[in-house]
Amino acid sequence: MQETQDMVLQRYLSDNERYADLINGFRFQGQQVLKGSDFSELDTRTGYRGQKGKRSGRESGRKRKQRYRDLFRKAAFGVNFMVIGIENQKEVHYLMPLRVMGYDADEYERQAAEIKKRVRCQKGLSRSEFLSGFGKDSRLHPQVTFALYTGSAPWDGPLYLHDMLDFTDIPEELQDLVADYKVNLVDIRRMENTDVFKTDVKHVIDFIRCAEDKEALLDLVEQEPYVKKMDADAFALVTKYTNSKEL
């Protein structure tokens, strides 16, 4: 079976050092806040499936189609951790804020379901704690999603949920009450400084940025020493994105 760009990218970023480098370069301007050893894998399946017939009422009917995340990791910070997801986008997606919000909500529901199993086994619960399946002192772990955009066209889609909403004639006092949601977009082809990356993520992004410029791509092939010792996964990725005969 011929591999897709998504499959090749997922294999490439399955390396935790690269995963950490991408986040460090994009969010921390290259500061080594995260290390590969801080990451551990999570199940990429998301979505809540109600258990049919277990109980009557609203909860037994809650079903959501199960979805799969592109990349999903747990990042350790001392005794705590944060969930960091990466979604690959080859094309502009005009529902991206809603899509990301759904992924993040799925993860919080997954955590809440795990907490519920533990809380319901405890003694001395208040009525509210038992009914919600969530203790007064229970806490969810924070979740963030990065949209990794590799398309050649500039991103012209919404980056905030509010950008998708029609507020015509809605009073500002009510508009302010509508929760917003942000897309953390990583626009690979329009990155100005790739020196913030410390692994071969830098070289891969440089190649993808030149994918539409054959002269620049040829110069990169001829002048970049890394080409001669490129990792197999990195090579598979850049050739998939550049379709380069020179490579």
Side-chain angles (χ1 to χ4, degrees):
M1 182 180 66
Q2 188 175 5
E3 288 187 306
T4 64
Q5 286 184 354
D6 280 347
M7 294 165 65
V8 176
L9 180 63
Q10 287 170 26
R11 186 174 69 242
Y12 175 77
L13 286 178
S14 65
D15 181 284
N16 286 337
E17 293 296 334
R18 291 166 175 157
Y19 206 95
D21 193 29
L22 186 67
I23 306 303
N24 286 335
F26 171 68
R27 195 67 187 96
F28 301 108
Q29 293 74 51
Q31 296 181 50
Q32 300 302 286
V33 175
L34 289 163
K35 304 185 296 293
S37 57
D38 294 330
F39 286 94
S40 56
E41 289 192 46
L42 287 170
D43 192 338
T44 57
R45 293 174 296 179
T46 68
Y48 181 96
R49 287 179 177 267
Q51 293 184 315
K52 200 171 182 180
K54 285 274 183 173
R55 286 188 299 274
S56 60
R58 184 182 301 173
E59 187 172 337
S60 63
R62 291 174 67 194
K63 294 181 182 178
R64 184 179 296 166
K65 183 179 180 181
Q66 200 163 53
R67 298 181 289 189
Y68 285 83
R69 304 296 304 265
D70 288 338
L71 292 150
F72 209 35
R73 294 286 189 278
K74 181 168 68 173
F77 293 94
V79 298
N80 199 5
F81 70 85
M82 181 178 188
V83 178
I84 301 179
I86 296 176
E87 292 301 314
N88 180 34
Q89 277 300 125
K90 300 187 295 293
E91 305 288 342
V92 175
H93 198 302
Y94 293 109
L95 279 176
M96 202 64 194
L98 188 62
R99 183 180 173 191
V100 169
M101 184 172 67
Y103 281 134
D104 291 349
D106 283 347
E107 168 56 18
Y108 288 130
E109 283 212 57
R110 184 195 67 79
Q111 292 184 33
E114 292 297 319
I115 291 173
K116 179 182 291 187
K117 294 176 186 177
R118 300 194 298 269
V119 167
R120 287 274 171 85
C121 294
Q122 296 174 7
K123 296 180 178 180
L125 295 176
S126 69
R127 177 178 173 81
S128 295
E129 288 175 316
F130 181 80
L131 289 175
S132 61
F134 201 82
K136 181 179 179 180
D137 297 324
S138 297
R139 294 294 181 270
L140 302 173
H141 294 282
Q143 141 85 19
V144 65
T145 297
F146 292 93
L148 189 64
Y149 177 55
T150 57
S152 57
W155 182 275
D156 63 352
L159 292 175
Y160 292 86
L161 181 63
H162 275 200
D163 295 337
M164 300 169 52
L165 304 181
D166 185 356
F167 284 117
T168 304
D169 295 333
I170 305 297
E172 286 189 14
E173 293 79 3
L174 291 179
Q175 292 182 32
D176 293 341
L177 298 179
V178 178
D180 203 356
Y181 215 83
K182 178 186 177 182
V183 174
N184 300 297
L185 186 74
V186 185
D187 192 342
I188 292 295
R189 296 194 190 227
R190 275 151 285 277
M191 278 192 168
E192 296 181 358
N193 179 22
T194 58
D195 290 336
V196 294
F197 301 106
K198 309 305 179 185
T199 67
D200 61 5
V201 167
K202 166 185 165 47
H203 304 292
V204 165
I205 292 177
D206 284 340
F207 274 103
I208 294 176
R209 288 173 63 204
C210 295
E212 306 297 322
D213 187 338
K214 295 303 180 183
E215 288 187 10
L217 187 61
L218 182 57
D219 287 342
L220 192 61
V221 170
E222 292 177 342
Q223 298 174 18
E224 177 54 68
Y226 173 73
V227 173
K228 296 179 180 179
K229 55 179 180 179
M230 190 180 292
D231 175 85
D233 287 342
F235 181 76
L237 183 60
V238 297
T239 51
K240 179 66 72 173
Y241 274 89
T242 62
N243 193 29
S244 171
K245 294 180 180 179
E246 290 82 7
L247 280 173

